[in-house]
Amino acid sequence: MIWRLLLITVVGVAAYANTFTMAFNFDDNSNIIGGNALRNMGSLRDLFSLRTMRSVGDISFALTYRAWGSAVMPFHVGNLLIHLTTAWLVAALVLVTGRTPFMTGGSELSETSLRTARLGGLLAGLLFVVHPIQTQAVTYLVQRYASLATLWYLAATICYARARLAAAACRWSKVLAWGLLTLIMTLFAMRTKEIAFTLPLILVAYELCFFRGRLRWRLAAMGGMLTLLAVIPYTLFGPALFRNLGPIWESLRVQTAMSRTDYFFSQLPIIAKYLRLIVWPAGQSIEHMAVQYKSFWNAPVLAAAALLLALLLTGCLLIWRGARGVRTWRLIGFGIVWFFLALTVESSIIPIVDLIFEHRVYLPFVGICLVIGPGAALLAERLRRTELVLAAGGLLVLALAVVTYQRNEVWRTPVTLWQDATIKAPFSSRAWNNLAYAYLREKRPGEALTPLLRSIELNPGPPDVWNNVGIALEQLGQFTGRFQRNYNMFRTSADLLQGQSAWFANAYNNLGLAYEYLQQPAAAIQAYETSFTYLPDFPAARFNLGYSALMLGNRPLAEEQYGRLRQLDPALAAKLGSLLGH
């Protein structure tokens, strides 16, 4: 067992060796360095509080920060250790499942079955640790919530299996110990991320698939597990959970008003895309372009539904066939059920503002490993060519390790991350804005303006894009007196209309300066004229329009602005007049 764990470790470290010095990315800064959990170790006291969510993940970040401050390497090392441990647990789950009453037929585990279980566990652990679909949950630091929740999730499943094996052997002290650990690991998982809501359902499915015993005792055990389904909802809503479910059900959405049916229809092609990324991990990105579907009768939705239903039915068939033939079929079928069940929190009927993120596959991918690892071991047993399967598996692991290493390079800096995102999702306004902001953080305002303009062209709505234009102009330092930064959507609360007008007038004036810097005077003039629709007598925009008109050789338009400025702002009029030769 030790050499298998060592092999998984070596391969995992090699695949992620280039991540240790990579920067904080995306919302790492706001959620980790800027998060209250790092400075409030009161989370330790709240760990078992029924009203505290994600406290275990918060504590892990806080402890890292307390020990090493804001140095990025310890956070990456911590994420990799979690990933390695989770891969070990994937291998261990295959091994412990191989010892269950169903898999052994109620007799002692044969040497052949033991070899198959060991090979299946090794291949499953290697696939989990090295597949590039996992990079977002490991290299994207804040997604430790997903990887750590998966670790506890697997640990709880293994502890449950050990408790049931001890019960079969009438070792009641071990039953108590492993049962208590199951409860603790379950609470840890549920205190790390909401995806652990499905853990009691997985334990029930595991019980039904792999154990035997008196029905009333099994029903009592499963009933006890199902009561844990209330932990996360109670954490979120408190005693109100038992009074009025209507408002609570409506509040189960994340930053979106999308209907549940629209979200479900949209998720079907996305789940199919997750499967495609698992089979062929090309086109990975922090930002995927996803389509929102409003009807089931769209071709992509129908095709994805047919594929997923066929896969789910295959899993159920394999579970049933395992009782009548090769027992490993049941483990493979259980892996398929795991994949779908683990996706239900984020990819079903609870609308989330971002339709797709790769880190959401981290927990479901355990099920895929339970399919491929034992499946390959079964093939080796049937063909009696273990060496051939190991060679093929080794080549696949090596290829995936190379792809993972290369994918991790994209995460080296925010600029490289969002450059890649704009290539993969060229019509994403957020990707272009985030690329621009990455340039601004590196004090490269000239390079930030082009992606900012592209972001505004795609979606002029988000105010932070316009604010970033002001930041870029400020960093350039050559437009002093010709622009004003926009810090808030509305500058005044007393007069909302006036606040709106001033904000948008400044925003379009700044946009004109951005076009001017990029030597696009015609576009600049159009932006200044839009500014006047909000504030007709905006002196800075009048001056800027006159300046751009001169760049285009339109002296009459420049003279017109000079005449208006003489009444609005004599100082700016004198400045424009000197350019006109007055």
Side-chain angles (χ1 to χ4, degrees):
M1 184 65 180
I2 297 298
W3 74 265
R4 294 180 181 84
L5 297 181
L6 183 60
L7 180 58
I8 292 171
T9 302
V10 170
V11 171
V13 171
Y16 287 89
N18 56 340
T19 64
F20 298 130
T21 57
M22 290 180 178
F24 292 106
N25 268 304
F26 203 8
D27 52 358
D28 283 342
N29 285 291
S30 59
N31 286 288
I32 300 177
I33 299 303
N36 291 329
L38 296 185
R39 296 166 180 81
N40 180 19
M41 292 300 287
S43 296
L44 287 169
R45 298 190 299 272
D46 298 334
L47 178 58
F48 291 100
S49 167
L50 290 179
R51 296 306 311 279
T52 303
M53 198 70 249
R54 299 196 179 189
S55 59
V56 175
D58 290 341
I59 290 168
S60 73
F61 284 128
L63 292 174
T64 306
Y65 182 82
R66 286 297 180 94
W68 291 282
S70 58
V72 71
M73 182 179 289
F75 288 97
H76 280 295
V77 171
N79 274 27
L80 181 55
L81 288 175
I82 290 169
H83 184 52
L84 293 173
T85 305
T86 307
W88 298 341
L89 292 175
V90 171
L93 179 60
V94 176
L95 285 173
V96 74
T97 303
R99 298 178 181 275
T100 58
F102 174 81
M103 297 298 288
T104 62
S107 59
E108 291 293 325
L109 187 64
S110 68
E111 187 63 31
T112 301
S113 298
L114 181 60
R115 284 198 306 269
T116 302
R118 286 173 175 171
L119 178 58
L122 173 63
L123 294 175
L126 285 172
L127 179 63
F128 186 89
V129 82
V130 81
H131 199 288
I133 195 68
Q134 306 292 62
T135 52
Q136 191 172 112
V138 182
T139 313
Y140 182 13
L141 292 172
V142 77
Q143 293 312 325
R144 176 181 298 186
Y145 292 110
S147 60
L148 189 58
T150 302
L151 186 154
W152 303 126
Y153 199 108
L154 278 163
T157 307
I158 293 170
C159 289
Y160 178 79
R162 296 299 298 268
R164 289 291 283 113
L165 288 172
C170 298
R171 298 175 180 175
W172 304 114
S173 61
K174 290 189 175 182
V175 171
L176 181 61
W178 286 113
L180 181 60
L181 281 174
T182 301
L183 177 61
I184 293 172
M185 295 298 104
T186 300
L187 292 176
F188 276 14
M190 291 182 170
R191 286 292 170 274
T192 304
K193 194 173 183 182
E194 294 86 339
I195 56 174
F197 174 78
T198 59
L199 176 53
L201 300 176
I202 284 288
L203 295 181
V204 168
Y206 193 83
E207 168 70 30
L208 293 173
C209 284
F210 301 111
F211 287 99
R212 300 167 177 169
R214 292 184 178 179
L215 182 60
R216 63 177 181 178
W217 291 111
R218 298 181 74 195
L219 289 176
M222 290 186 287
M225 288 183 288
L226 290 176
T227 61
L228 294 173
L229 289 171
V231 171
I232 289 178
Y234 189 85
T235 299
L236 295 172
F237 304 111
L241 176 67
F242 306 107
R243 293 197 297 267
N244 192 350
L245 291 178
I248 289 175
W249 175 245
E250 284 306 310
S251 68
L252 285 176
R253 55 180 66 248
V254 182
Q255 300 174 6
T256 181
M258 188 187 310
S259 73
R260 300 184 190 281
T261 53
D262 289 356
Y263 188 78
F264 177 72
F265 297 150
S266 303
Q267 283 301 304
L268 294 176
I270 287 171
I271 295 172
K273 183 172 184 176
Y274 288 149
L275 290 170
R276 199 274 299 165
L277 287 171
I278 290 171
V279 175
W280 187 255
Q284 286 186 259
S285 178
I286 184 70
E287 186 85 355
H288 288 275
M289 296 304 297
V291 178
Q292 180 181 340
Y293 293 100
K294 295 181 177 295
S295 171
F296 183 74
W297 307 109
N298 293 100
V301 179
L302 285 170
L307 170 66
L308 299 178
L309 180 61
L311 184 59
L312 182 58
L313 290 176
T314 299
C316 295
L317 178 62
L318 290 173
I319 290 174
W320 179 74
R321 292 280 294 177
R324 290 162 172 77
V326 180
R327 299 180 187 276
T328 305
W329 290 132
R330 176 161 289 190
L331 178 54
I332 295 172
F334 176 76
I336 295 174
V337 171
W338 179 300
F339 175 80
F340 283 104
L341 195 56
L343 269 174
T344 54
V345 172
E346 295 177 311
S347 296
S348 58
I349 58 172
I350 300 176
I352 304 174
V353 62
D354 294 299
L355 288 172
I356 178 172
F357 264 130
E358 290 172 17
H359 65 260
R360 294 176 185 170
V361 191
Y362 192 84
L363 173 61
F365 189 67
V366 173
I368 301 299
C369 295
L370 295 180
V371 171
I372 296 176
L378 177 62
L379 180 64
E381 178 188 338
R382 287 299 182 87
L383 296 178
R384 298 183 180 180
R385 298 293 298 273
T386 301
E387 297 81 4
L388 180 62
V389 171
L390 279 174
L395 289 175
L396 177 62
V397 167
L398 178 61
L400 291 174
V402 172
V403 176
T404 295
Y405 189 94
Q406 292 174 339
R407 176 61 194 165
N408 282 328
E409 279 298 316
V410 171
W411 290 83
R412 182 153 300 282
T413 68
V415 169
T416 58
L417 177 65
W418 291 106
Q419 282 176 336
D420 176 78
T422 56
I423 294 171
K424 307 288 179 55
F427 299 105
S428 168
S429 175
R430 179 171 68 175
W432 287 105
N433 181 47
N434 286 342
L435 173 59
Y437 186 67
Y439 282 129
L440 292 176
R441 289 181 59 190
E442 295 186 3
K443 303 296 189 235
R444 298 158 64 181
E447 294 172 84
L449 286 176
T450 297
L452 281 172
L453 296 180
R454 178 60 177 155
S455 179
I456 290 170
E457 289 172 2
L458 291 167
N459 182 11
D464 60 316
V465 186
W466 298 91
N467 290 335
N468 286 339
V469 173
I471 294 173
L473 296 173
E474 189 171 64
Q475 287 187 5
L476 286 170
Q478 64 189 61
F479 297 108
T480 303
R482 299 176 61 190
F483 83 100
Q484 183 172 338
R485 280 273 301 278
N486 288 319
Y487 292 94
N488 302 302
M489 187 62 188
F490 306 120
R491 295 181 59 195
T492 64
S493 57
D495 187 345
L496 182 61
L497 181 59
Q498 181 181 355
Q500 283 181 312
S501 298
W503 195 94
F504 283 111
N506 279 315
Y508 279 98
N509 177 59
N510 293 349
L511 181 63
L513 290 172
Y515 281 120
E516 182 184 310
Y517 178 83
L518 296 172
Q519 299 182 349
Q520 301 179 42
I525 288 174
Q526 185 177 358
Y528 298 136
E529 289 177 341
T530 303
S531 176
F532 298 149
T533 64
Y534 295 99
L535 285 181
D537 295 328
F538 187 7
R542 290 287 174 187
F543 173 86
N544 294 335
L545 176 56
Y547 185 89
S548 292
L550 281 175
M551 290 176 63
L552 273 179
N554 190 342
R555 187 177 180 89
L557 181 58
E559 289 284 1
E560 180 186 345
Q561 306 315 308
Y562 171 70
R564 296 290 296 272
L565 280 171
R566 291 181 66 183
Q567 301 174 7
L568 298 173
D569 192 322
L572 283 178
K575 189 174 180 181
L576 182 59
S578 66
L579 296 174
L580 290 166
H582 292 305

